[in-house]
Amino acid sequence: MTKLHQDAEPFFITEEIAAEMTAGGYEFGPPPIPCTIRLRDVLERMTDAELALQPGEIADQERGCRRCKPCSTP
């Protein structure tokens, strides 16, 4: 098992290092956005028309759940 270097100093990429990395083929991009809500929760809040446009197995499951639920009228 490899021991982490916990006493290492922070590493900052200078403009010169960034230029070298870019020249070597590295592409800088924004960090990924963390997921803070489940896809099922998002689909559940969509209207039937919006849900109809969504692809995928989870969307299919949500459409199936909506067909099985009894219609509630006030």
Side-chain angles (χ1 to χ4, degrees):
M1 219 166 143
T2 307
K3 183 182 177 197
L4 296 175
H5 300 284
Q6 295 179 356
D7 55 333
E9 294 184 27
F11 176 74
F12 296 97
I13 298 176
T14 63
E15 288 182 21
E16 294 82 19
I17 293 174
E20 288 178 27
M21 292 173 73
T22 302
Y26 185 86
E27 295 181 18
F28 289 92
I33 299 171
C35 181
T36 59
I37 189 168
R38 295 181 327 151
L39 179 57
R40 288 189 193 285
D41 295 336
V42 172
L43 296 174
E44 191 175 78
R45 294 181 187 135
M46 289 183 171
T47 64
D48 289 340
E50 293 171 328
L51 184 61
L53 300 173
Q54 300 301 313
E57 183 179 343
I58 297 175
D60 291 341
Q61 291 172 358
E62 177 62 26
R63 284 187 281 271
C65 288
R66 289 184 185 194
R67 276 187 242 121
C68 294
K69 285 184 183 176
C71 185
S72 59
T73 55

